[in-house]
Amino acid sequence: MQSLLYSIIEANRSWTRQGKVANYIPGLAKANPEALGIVLITTDNQSYAAGSHETPFTIQSISKILTFTCALMDTPFAELSKIISLEPTSDEFNSISSLEIKNTHKPLNPMINSGAIATLSLVKGDSYAERFQRVFSFAKLLTGNEALPLNQDVYASESRTGHRNRALAYYMKSTDIIHDDVEELVDAYFRLCSLQVTCHDIARIGAVLAGNGLLPGSETRVIPKDICRIVKAVMATCGMYNGSGLFATSVGLPAKSGVGGGILAVSPNRMGIGVMGPALDEKGNSLAGIKVLEDLSKRLDLSIY
Ligand code: GLN
């Protein structure tokens, strides 16, 4: 397995030059575009790594899985369904037009920005400081990384420039999807996007989902099985934004990407996969990261379809 991972990373390294590091959040522009790494963690807790697997990056939209999972655990499904849909989108991840036109008021799914912002309001807590802590603690539990840091530079940068996200939240306040203070809500959202992870951290979150809610190599349940099923289904249909359909045909795994360059993929009952490559394609997904996952899926016959 180890040598397979080395060879897949080397074979796909040149793809990093075809992509571009995100710069709409200035703090992200400092990432090394040539970095490319992978970690696999099996449900029985064996791990394998290759490439830049220790290079830190911010979790960005991969945090949407954590927020959605907490919301499903904290809010009855019928309530949640009044606030968000679970349908794929052909628009960009920060689109505002889909809120106004396509679905009149509800965000299309929890894997895009509008949906994740709305989902955060469904997490248990009396304030957004508490809701942030709830998801942050859950992130530490799933990654097994008690020292999970917040990248202050990226947080400050997104907080200074994240006006599209504020616009999405204010729009949803105007349509009664959100009832809380928008600034407090988006601040918690920005913090969650700024959690600093490695491939290992996101692979371990994937391994918990692959194991239907058990921590890898243990009988400790941290997510109900039914909720894992919903999260994986939404990842499979919506996790790569408007690239989810093509990704399903070429990789065939539930996955979630982030503009920090991470992709978390889940091979059900087998393993979690964490890939990082900050050079992105035009949809905001790691370009070389997708190529790595395509190769891995072919070599290990991982597609669920
Ligand atoms: N923090 C980013 C944003 O809100 C997350 C987007 C992403 O990773 N696609 O724009």
Side-chain angles (χ1 to χ4, degrees), residues 197-246:
V197 291
T198 61
C199 289
H200 187 274
D201 294 319
I202 60 170
R204 197 153 183 287
I205 299 170
V208 176
L209 291 169
N212 302 307
L214 300 180
L215 289 178
S218 84
E219 292 301 315
T220 309
R221 177 163 298 285
V222 290
I223 310 171
K225 187 174 178 187
D226 262 11
I227 288 183
C228 281
R229 181 178 51 76
I230 297 171
V231 172
K232 282 180 278 191
V234 175
M235 287 167 69
T237 49
C238 310
M240 303 296 284
Y241 318 117
N242 46 342
S244 300
L246 193 60

mmCIF file of all heavy atoms in Angstrom, residues 197-246:
data_model
loop_
_atom_site.group_PDB
_atom_site.id
_atom_site.type_symbol
_atom_site.label_atom_id
_atom_site.label_comp_id
_atom_site.label_asym_id
_atom_site.label_seq_id
_atom_site.Cartn_x
_atom_site.Cartn_y
_atom_site.Cartn_z
ATOM 1 N N VAL A 197 -5.545 21.847 9.633
ATOM 2 C CA VAL A 197 -5.483 20.379 9.668
ATOM 3 C C VAL A 197 -4.335 19.868 8.793
ATOM 4 O O VAL A 197 -3.695 20.636 8.074
ATOM 5 C CB VAL A 197 -6.814 19.773 9.140
ATOM 6 C CG1 VAL A 197 -7.968 20.028 10.102
ATOM 7 C CG2 VAL A 197 -7.154 20.311 7.745
ATOM 8 N N THR A 198 -4.129 18.558 8.871
ATOM 9 C CA THR A 198 -3.237 17.870 7.925
ATOM 10 C C THR A 198 -4.067 16.764 7.259
ATOM 11 O O THR A 198 -5.202 16.503 7.674
ATOM 12 C CB THR A 198 -2.049 17.207 8.651
ATOM 13 O OG1 THR A 198 -2.599 16.244 9.557
ATOM 14 C CG2 THR A 198 -1.200 18.221 9.406
ATOM 15 N N CYS A 199 -3.461 16.107 6.281
ATOM 16 C CA CYS A 199 -4.150 14.979 5.625
ATOM 17 C C CYS A 199 -4.578 13.942 6.655
ATOM 18 O O CYS A 199 -5.628 13.311 6.533
ATOM 19 C CB CYS A 199 -3.215 14.294 4.624
ATOM 20 S SG CYS A 199 -2.887 15.282 3.167
ATOM 21 N N HIS A 200 -3.757 13.766 7.691
ATOM 22 C CA HIS A 200 -4.059 12.773 8.712
ATOM 23 C C HIS A 200 -5.372 13.112 9.424
ATOM 24 O O HIS A 200 -6.226 12.247 9.632
ATOM 25 C CB HIS A 200 -2.891 12.689 9.712
ATOM 26 C CG HIS A 200 -3.054 11.577 10.692
ATOM 27 N ND1 HIS A 200 -3.768 11.722 11.865
ATOM 28 C CD2 HIS A 200 -2.620 10.299 10.665
ATOM 29 C CE1 HIS A 200 -3.761 10.580 12.515
ATOM 30 N NE2 HIS A 200 -3.071 9.687 11.810
ATOM 31 N N ASP A 201 -5.523 14.389 9.779
ATOM 32 C CA ASP A 201 -6.741 14.808 10.498
ATOM 33 C C ASP A 201 -7.994 14.533 9.671
ATOM 34 O O ASP A 201 -8.969 13.979 10.180
ATOM 35 C CB ASP A 201 -6.678 16.316 10.814
ATOM 36 C CG ASP A 201 -5.572 16.666 11.793
ATOM 37 O OD1 ASP A 201 -5.367 15.920 12.764
ATOM 38 O OD2 ASP A 201 -4.917 17.706 11.577
ATOM 39 N N ILE A 202 -7.965 14.911 8.394
ATOM 40 C CA ILE A 202 -9.201 14.731 7.610
ATOM 41 C C ILE A 202 -9.415 13.255 7.254
ATOM 42 O O ILE A 202 -10.548 12.793 7.166
ATOM 43 C CB ILE A 202 -9.280 15.659 6.371
ATOM 44 C CG1 ILE A 202 -8.149 15.438 5.383
ATOM 45 C CG2 ILE A 202 -9.378 17.116 6.793
ATOM 46 C CD1 ILE A 202 -8.357 16.180 4.048
ATOM 47 N N ALA A 203 -8.320 12.500 7.092
ATOM 48 C CA ALA A 203 -8.486 11.063 6.821
ATOM 49 C C ALA A 203 -9.161 10.383 8.010
ATOM 50 O O ALA A 203 -9.984 9.477 7.852
ATOM 51 C CB ALA A 203 -7.126 10.411 6.558
ATOM 52 N N ARG A 204 -8.847 10.853 9.218
ATOM 53 C CA ARG A 204 -9.435 10.224 10.398
ATOM 54 C C ARG A 204 -10.934 10.549 10.494
ATOM 55 O O ARG A 204 -11.734 9.694 10.872
ATOM 56 C CB ARG A 204 -8.690 10.654 11.665
ATOM 57 C CG ARG A 204 -8.985 9.741 12.842
ATOM 58 C CD ARG A 204 -7.841 9.735 13.815
ATOM 59 N NE ARG A 204 -8.049 8.817 14.924
ATOM 60 C CZ ARG A 204 -8.888 9.016 15.926
ATOM 61 N NH1 ARG A 204 -9.647 10.091 15.951
ATOM 62 N NH2 ARG A 204 -8.979 8.129 16.904
ATOM 63 N N ILE A 205 -11.316 11.766 10.120
ATOM 64 C CA ILE A 205 -12.760 12.087 10.081
ATOM 65 C C ILE A 205 -13.426 11.135 9.074
ATOM 66 O O ILE A 205 -14.492 10.567 9.327
ATOM 67 C CB ILE A 205 -13.003 13.558 9.661
ATOM 68 C CG1 ILE A 205 -12.362 14.526 10.659
ATOM 69 C CG2 ILE A 205 -14.494 13.839 9.509
ATOM 70 C CD1 ILE A 205 -12.353 16.002 10.205
ATOM 71 N N GLY A 206 -12.754 10.930 7.930
ATOM 72 C CA GLY A 206 -13.284 10.021 6.908
ATOM 73 C C GLY A 206 -13.387 8.595 7.418
ATOM 74 O O GLY A 206 -14.348 7.877 7.103
ATOM 75 N N ALA A 207 -12.420 8.181 8.224
ATOM 76 C CA ALA A 207 -12.436 6.807 8.737
ATOM 77 C C ALA A 207 -13.611 6.598 9.703
ATOM 78 O O ALA A 207 -14.196 5.513 9.754
ATOM 79 C CB ALA A 207 -11.108 6.489 9.431
ATOM 80 N N VAL A 208 -13.971 7.651 10.449
ATOM 81 C CA VAL A 208 -15.131 7.534 11.351
ATOM 82 C C VAL A 208 -16.407 7.354 10.516
ATOM 83 O O VAL A 208 -17.251 6.498 10.816
ATOM 84 C CB VAL A 208 -15.251 8.774 12.276
ATOM 85 C CG1 VAL A 208 -16.509 8.686 13.131
ATOM 86 C CG2 VAL A 208 -14.002 8.933 13.140
ATOM 87 N N LEU A 209 -16.523 8.131 9.437
ATOM 88 C CA LEU A 209 -17.703 7.993 8.570
ATOM 89 C C LEU A 209 -17.684 6.633 7.866
ATOM 90 O O LEU A 209 -18.723 5.978 7.728
ATOM 91 C CB LEU A 209 -17.741 9.127 7.539
ATOM 92 C CG LEU A 209 -18.016 10.524 8.115
ATOM 93 C CD1 LEU A 209 -17.757 11.606 7.071
ATOM 94 C CD2 LEU A 209 -19.463 10.623 8.625
ATOM 95 N N ALA A 210 -16.495 6.183 7.459
ATOM 96 C CA ALA A 210 -16.385 4.874 6.805
ATOM 97 C C ALA A 210 -16.818 3.765 7.761
ATOM 98 O O ALA A 210 -17.427 2.780 7.355
ATOM 99 C CB ALA A 210 -14.942 4.644 6.346
ATOM 100 N N GLY A 211 -16.502 3.935 9.029
ATOM 101 C CA GLY A 211 -16.864 2.932 10.043
ATOM 102 C C GLY A 211 -18.243 3.173 10.630
ATOM 103 O O GLY A 211 -18.528 2.681 11.730
ATOM 104 N N ASN A 212 -19.071 3.911 9.941
ATOM 105 C CA ASN A 212 -20.462 4.147 10.350
ATOM 106 C C ASN A 212 -20.588 4.754 11.744
ATOM 107 O O ASN A 212 -21.534 4.462 12.474
ATOM 108 C CB ASN A 212 -21.281 2.855 10.253
ATOM 109 C CG ASN A 212 -21.268 2.292 8.851
ATOM 110 O OD1 ASN A 212 -21.589 3.013 7.914
ATOM 111 N ND2 ASN A 212 -20.853 1.042 8.699
ATOM 112 N N GLY A 213 -19.598 5.556 12.120
ATOM 113 C CA GLY A 213 -19.730 6.318 13.360
ATOM 114 C C GLY A 213 -18.852 5.855 14.506
ATOM 115 O O GLY A 213 -18.880 6.439 15.583
ATOM 116 N N LEU A 214 -18.061 4.773 14.287
ATOM 117 C CA LEU A 214 -17.149 4.309 15.343
ATOM 118 C C LEU A 214 -15.778 4.944 15.142
ATOM 119 O O LEU A 214 -15.311 5.080 13.998
ATOM 120 C CB LEU A 214 -17.003 2.777 15.294
ATOM 121 C CG LEU A 214 -18.275 1.948 15.470
ATOM 122 C CD1 LEU A 214 -17.944 0.444 15.396
ATOM 123 C CD2 LEU A 214 -18.962 2.269 16.802
ATOM 124 N N LEU A 215 -15.116 5.304 16.243
ATOM 125 C CA LEU A 215 -13.733 5.768 16.111
ATOM 126 C C LEU A 215 -12.910 4.611 15.564
ATOM 127 O O LEU A 215 -13.144 3.447 15.937
ATOM 128 C CB LEU A 215 -13.187 6.218 17.474
ATOM 129 C CG LEU A 215 -13.770 7.520 18.038
ATOM 130 C CD1 LEU A 215 -13.166 7.816 19.419
ATOM 131 C CD2 LEU A 215 -13.544 8.707 17.110
ATOM 132 N N PRO A 216 -11.942 4.881 14.664
ATOM 133 C CA PRO A 216 -11.192 3.789 14.030
ATOM 134 C C PRO A 216 -10.538 2.850 15.046
ATOM 135 O O PRO A 216 -9.971 3.304 16.038
ATOM 136 C CB PRO A 216 -10.113 4.516 13.211
ATOM 137 C CG PRO A 216 -10.496 5.948 13.185
ATOM 138 C CD PRO A 216 -11.547 6.194 14.199
ATOM 139 N N GLY A 217 -10.690 1.551 14.816
ATOM 140 C CA GLY A 217 -10.060 0.551 15.684
ATOM 141 C C GLY A 217 -10.689 0.454 17.053
ATOM 142 O O GLY A 217 -10.054 -0.033 17.986
ATOM 143 N N SER A 218 -11.935 0.953 17.198
ATOM 144 C CA SER A 218 -12.560 0.893 18.530
ATOM 145 C C SER A 218 -14.054 0.604 18.387
ATOM 146 O O SER A 218 -14.588 0.571 17.286
ATOM 147 C CB SER A 218 -12.383 2.230 19.259
ATOM 148 O OG SER A 218 -13.407 3.125 18.865
ATOM 149 N N GLU A 219 -14.677 0.411 19.525
ATOM 150 C CA GLU A 219 -16.141 0.236 19.539
ATOM 151 C C GLU A 219 -16.807 1.520 20.058
ATOM 152 O O GLU A 219 -17.972 1.499 20.422
ATOM 153 C CB GLU A 219 -16.516 -0.943 20.438
ATOM 154 C CG GLU A 219 -16.073 -2.316 19.895
ATOM 155 C CD GLU A 219 -16.666 -2.622 18.518
ATOM 156 O OE1 GLU A 219 -17.868 -2.388 18.319
ATOM 157 O OE2 GLU A 219 -15.900 -3.078 17.632
ATOM 158 N N THR A 220 -16.048 2.593 20.110
ATOM 159 C CA THR A 220 -16.589 3.857 20.630
ATOM 160 C C THR A 220 -17.390 4.578 19.555
ATOM 161 O O THR A 220 -16.837 5.000 18.531
ATOM 162 C CB THR A 220 -15.439 4.781 21.101
ATOM 163 O OG1 THR A 220 -14.598 4.047 21.960
ATOM 164 C CG2 THR A 220 -15.963 6.014 21.804
ATOM 165 N N ARG A 221 -18.688 4.680 19.815
ATOM 166 C CA ARG A 221 -19.561 5.338 18.833
ATOM 167 C C ARG A 221 -19.598 6.833 19.082
ATOM 168 O O ARG A 221 -19.898 7.263 20.194
ATOM 169 C CB ARG A 221 -20.972 4.735 18.898
ATOM 170 C CG ARG A 221 -21.965 5.415 17.960
ATOM 171 C CD ARG A 221 -23.226 4.607 17.712
ATOM 172 N NE ARG A 221 -22.950 3.333 17.067
ATOM 173 C CZ ARG A 221 -22.628 3.175 15.785
ATOM 174 N NH1 ARG A 221 -22.525 4.238 14.991
ATOM 175 N NH2 ARG A 221 -22.407 1.985 15.297
ATOM 176 N N VAL A 222 -19.313 7.624 18.046
ATOM 177 C CA VAL A 222 -19.372 9.085 18.203
ATOM 178 C C VAL A 222 -20.436 9.718 17.290
ATOM 179 O O VAL A 222 -20.772 10.884 17.452
ATOM 180 C CB VAL A 222 -17.988 9.740 17.967
ATOM 181 C CG1 VAL A 222 -17.033 9.402 19.104
ATOM 182 C CG2 VAL A 222 -17.383 9.347 16.627
ATOM 183 N N ILE A 223 -20.943 8.926 16.328
ATOM 184 C CA ILE A 223 -22.028 9.412 15.456
ATOM 185 C C ILE A 223 -23.007 8.243 15.268
ATOM 186 O O ILE A 223 -22.565 7.116 14.990
ATOM 187 C CB ILE A 223 -21.519 9.833 14.051
ATOM 188 C CG1 ILE A 223 -20.315 10.779 14.135
ATOM 189 C CG2 ILE A 223 -22.625 10.487 13.231
ATOM 190 C CD1 ILE A 223 -19.648 11.058 12.780
ATOM 191 N N PRO A 224 -24.310 8.483 15.396
ATOM 192 C CA PRO A 224 -25.261 7.403 15.102
ATOM 193 C C PRO A 224 -25.130 6.944 13.640
ATOM 194 O O PRO A 224 -24.870 7.760 12.746
ATOM 195 C CB PRO A 224 -26.630 8.043 15.348
ATOM 196 C CG PRO A 224 -26.360 9.235 16.216
ATOM 197 C CD PRO A 224 -24.981 9.710 15.853
ATOM 198 N N LYS A 225 -25.333 5.642 13.431
ATOM 199 C CA LYS A 225 -25.147 5.069 12.094
ATOM 200 C C LYS A 225 -26.032 5.737 11.036
ATOM 201 O O LYS A 225 -25.586 6.027 9.925
ATOM 202 C CB LYS A 225 -25.448 3.558 12.175
ATOM 203 C CG LYS A 225 -25.136 2.835 10.913
ATOM 204 C CD LYS A 225 -25.301 1.339 11.056
ATOM 205 C CE LYS A 225 -24.997 0.721 9.687
ATOM 206 N NZ LYS A 225 -25.278 -0.694 9.619
ATOM 207 N N ASP A 226 -27.278 5.973 11.412
ATOM 208 C CA ASP A 226 -28.224 6.588 10.467
ATOM 209 C C ASP A 226 -27.763 7.965 10.007
ATOM 210 O O ASP A 226 -27.987 8.355 8.860
ATOM 211 C CB ASP A 226 -29.580 6.782 11.164
ATOM 212 C CG ASP A 226 -30.509 5.664 10.811
ATOM 213 O OD1 ASP A 226 -30.024 4.673 10.227
ATOM 214 O OD2 ASP A 226 -31.710 5.790 11.122
ATOM 215 N N ILE A 227 -27.156 8.692 10.925
ATOM 216 C CA ILE A 227 -26.682 10.035 10.579
ATOM 217 C C ILE A 227 -25.475 9.939 9.645
ATOM 218 O O ILE A 227 -25.358 10.685 8.668
ATOM 219 C CB ILE A 227 -26.408 10.854 11.866
ATOM 220 C CG1 ILE A 227 -27.760 11.198 12.487
ATOM 221 C CG2 ILE A 227 -25.573 12.109 11.574
ATOM 222 C CD1 ILE A 227 -27.737 12.058 13.715
ATOM 223 N N CYS A 228 -24.602 8.963 9.884
ATOM 224 C CA CYS A 228 -23.467 8.754 8.960
ATOM 225 C C CYS A 228 -23.970 8.475 7.549
ATOM 226 O O CYS A 228 -23.408 8.963 6.571
ATOM 227 C CB CYS A 228 -22.630 7.551 9.395
ATOM 228 S SG CYS A 228 -21.532 7.939 10.740
ATOM 229 N N ARG A 229 -25.030 7.696 7.469
ATOM 230 C CA ARG A 229 -25.595 7.353 6.152
ATOM 231 C C ARG A 229 -26.063 8.617 5.432
ATOM 232 O O ARG A 229 -25.757 8.827 4.257
ATOM 233 C CB ARG A 229 -26.761 6.369 6.356
ATOM 234 C CG ARG A 229 -27.437 5.895 5.097
ATOM 235 C CD ARG A 229 -28.546 4.885 5.408
ATOM 236 N NE ARG A 229 -29.488 5.350 6.427
ATOM 237 C CZ ARG A 229 -30.439 6.247 6.241
ATOM 238 N NH1 ARG A 229 -30.612 6.780 5.047
ATOM 239 N NH2 ARG A 229 -31.234 6.631 7.226
ATOM 240 N N ILE A 230 -26.754 9.490 6.148
ATOM 241 C CA ILE A 230 -27.240 10.736 5.530
ATOM 242 C C ILE A 230 -26.058 11.612 5.097
ATOM 243 O O ILE A 230 -26.027 12.131 3.983
ATOM 244 C CB ILE A 230 -28.144 11.519 6.520
ATOM 245 C CG1 ILE A 230 -29.393 10.703 6.855
ATOM 246 C CG2 ILE A 230 -28.523 12.883 5.946
ATOM 247 C CD1 ILE A 230 -30.240 11.292 7.982
ATOM 248 N N VAL A 231 -25.069 11.747 5.971
ATOM 249 C CA VAL A 231 -23.920 12.618 5.670
ATOM 250 C C VAL A 231 -23.189 12.105 4.423
ATOM 251 O O VAL A 231 -22.855 12.880 3.515
ATOM 252 C CB VAL A 231 -22.968 12.715 6.890
ATOM 253 C CG1 VAL A 231 -21.687 13.457 6.529
ATOM 254 C CG2 VAL A 231 -23.669 13.401 8.057
ATOM 255 N N LYS A 232 -22.960 10.796 4.341
ATOM 256 C CA LYS A 232 -22.249 10.243 3.174
ATOM 257 C C LYS A 232 -23.065 10.420 1.895
ATOM 258 O O LYS A 232 -22.505 10.702 0.826
ATOM 259 C CB LYS A 232 -21.918 8.759 3.404
ATOM 260 C CG LYS A 232 -20.715 8.579 4.321
ATOM 261 C CD LYS A 232 -20.389 7.118 4.552
ATOM 262 C CE LYS A 232 -21.264 6.520 5.623
ATOM 263 N NZ LYS A 232 -20.809 5.176 6.049
ATOM 264 N N ALA A 233 -24.375 10.266 2.009
ATOM 265 C CA ALA A 233 -25.210 10.432 0.805
ATOM 266 C C ALA A 233 -25.144 11.876 0.304
ATOM 267 O O ALA A 233 -25.038 12.123 -0.906
ATOM 268 C CB ALA A 233 -26.660 10.046 1.118
ATOM 269 N N VAL A 234 -25.173 12.829 1.233
ATOM 270 C CA VAL A 234 -25.116 14.240 0.825
ATOM 271 C C VAL A 234 -23.716 14.579 0.295
ATOM 272 O O VAL A 234 -23.571 15.345 -0.662
ATOM 273 C CB VAL A 234 -25.560 15.163 1.989
ATOM 274 C CG1 VAL A 234 -25.400 16.629 1.615
ATOM 275 C CG2 VAL A 234 -27.012 14.884 2.352
ATOM 276 N N MET A 235 -22.682 13.979 0.881
ATOM 277 C CA MET A 235 -21.329 14.181 0.336
ATOM 278 C C MET A 235 -21.250 13.646 -1.100
ATOM 279 O O MET A 235 -20.668 14.281 -1.982
ATOM 280 C CB MET A 235 -20.290 13.447 1.201
ATOM 281 C CG MET A 235 -20.027 14.095 2.549
ATOM 282 S SD MET A 235 -19.093 13.009 3.661
ATOM 283 C CE MET A 235 -17.493 12.983 2.863
ATOM 284 N N ALA A 236 -21.822 12.466 -1.321
ATOM 285 C CA ALA A 236 -21.732 11.843 -2.647
ATOM 286 C C ALA A 236 -22.431 12.688 -3.709
ATOM 287 O O ALA A 236 -21.976 12.762 -4.853
ATOM 288 C CB ALA A 236 -22.326 10.435 -2.616
ATOM 289 N N THR A 237 -23.523 13.346 -3.316
ATOM 290 C CA THR A 237 -24.282 14.094 -4.324
ATOM 291 C C THR A 237 -23.882 15.573 -4.400
ATOM 292 O O THR A 237 -24.073 16.206 -5.440
ATOM 293 C CB THR A 237 -25.801 14.001 -4.039
ATOM 294 O OG1 THR A 237 -26.023 14.306 -2.648
ATOM 295 C CG2 THR A 237 -26.341 12.616 -4.321
ATOM 296 N N CYS A 238 -23.355 16.115 -3.307
ATOM 297 C CA CYS A 238 -23.132 17.573 -3.249
ATOM 298 C C CYS A 238 -21.728 17.986 -2.799
ATOM 299 O O CYS A 238 -21.407 19.175 -2.834
ATOM 300 C CB CYS A 238 -24.120 18.215 -2.264
ATOM 301 S SG CYS A 238 -25.838 17.752 -2.490
ATOM 302 N N GLY A 239 -20.906 17.061 -2.352
ATOM 303 C CA GLY A 239 -19.662 17.401 -1.652
ATOM 304 C C GLY A 239 -18.601 18.078 -2.489
ATOM 305 O O GLY A 239 -17.733 18.758 -1.959
ATOM 306 N N MET A 240 -18.660 17.900 -3.813
ATOM 307 C CA MET A 240 -17.659 18.536 -4.682
ATOM 308 C C MET A 240 -18.329 19.678 -5.455
ATOM 309 O O MET A 240 -17.974 19.991 -6.591
ATOM 310 C CB MET A 240 -17.046 17.505 -5.640
ATOM 311 C CG MET A 240 -16.401 16.307 -4.940
ATOM 312 S SD MET A 240 -14.967 16.741 -3.923
ATOM 313 C CE MET A 240 -13.724 16.991 -5.186
ATOM 314 N N TYR A 241 -19.328 20.281 -4.814
ATOM 315 C CA TYR A 241 -20.091 21.402 -5.397
ATOM 316 C C TYR A 241 -20.653 21.014 -6.758
ATOM 317 O O TYR A 241 -21.180 19.913 -6.928
ATOM 318 C CB TYR A 241 -19.224 22.668 -5.536
ATOM 319 C CG TYR A 241 -18.327 22.945 -4.366
ATOM 320 C CD1 TYR A 241 -16.948 22.951 -4.488
ATOM 321 C CD2 TYR A 241 -18.877 23.202 -3.113
ATOM 322 C CE1 TYR A 241 -16.131 23.218 -3.410
ATOM 323 C CE2 TYR A 241 -18.061 23.470 -2.026
ATOM 324 C CZ TYR A 241 -16.690 23.473 -2.190
ATOM 325 O OH TYR A 241 -15.883 23.724 -1.130
ATOM 326 N N ASN A 242 -20.456 21.929 -7.744
ATOM 327 C CA ASN A 242 -20.977 21.680 -9.089
ATOM 328 C C ASN A 242 -20.048 20.774 -9.899
ATOM 329 O O ASN A 242 -20.212 20.642 -11.109
ATOM 330 C CB ASN A 242 -21.234 23.008 -9.821
ATOM 331 C CG ASN A 242 -20.084 23.994 -9.690
ATOM 332 O OD1 ASN A 242 -19.240 23.854 -8.803
ATOM 333 N ND2 ASN A 242 -20.029 24.975 -10.551
ATOM 334 N N GLY A 243 -19.090 20.133 -9.203
ATOM 335 C CA GLY A 243 -18.263 19.112 -9.856
ATOM 336 C C GLY A 243 -18.606 17.729 -9.327
ATOM 337 O O GLY A 243 -17.907 16.747 -9.619
ATOM 338 N N SER A 244 -19.691 17.619 -8.554
ATOM 339 C CA SER A 244 -19.997 16.350 -7.880
ATOM 340 C C SER A 244 -20.362 15.227 -8.848
ATOM 341 O O SER A 244 -20.041 14.063 -8.604
ATOM 342 C CB SER A 244 -21.144 16.544 -6.876
ATOM 343 O OG SER A 244 -20.776 17.493 -5.901
ATOM 344 N N GLY A 245 -21.024 15.568 -9.951
ATOM 345 C CA GLY A 245 -21.448 14.530 -10.896
ATOM 346 C C GLY A 245 -20.261 13.886 -11.589
ATOM 347 O O GLY A 245 -20.141 12.652 -11.639
ATOM 348 N N LEU A 246 -19.366 14.729 -12.094
ATOM 349 C CA LEU A 246 -18.188 14.202 -12.779
ATOM 350 C C LEU A 246 -17.310 13.397 -11.819
ATOM 351 O O LEU A 246 -16.803 12.317 -12.160
ATOM 352 C CB LEU A 246 -17.392 15.371 -13.387
ATOM 353 C CG LEU A 246 -16.315 15.006 -14.390
ATOM 354 C CD1 LEU A 246 -16.918 14.262 -15.578
ATOM 355 C CD2 LEU A 246 -15.611 16.281 -14.889
#
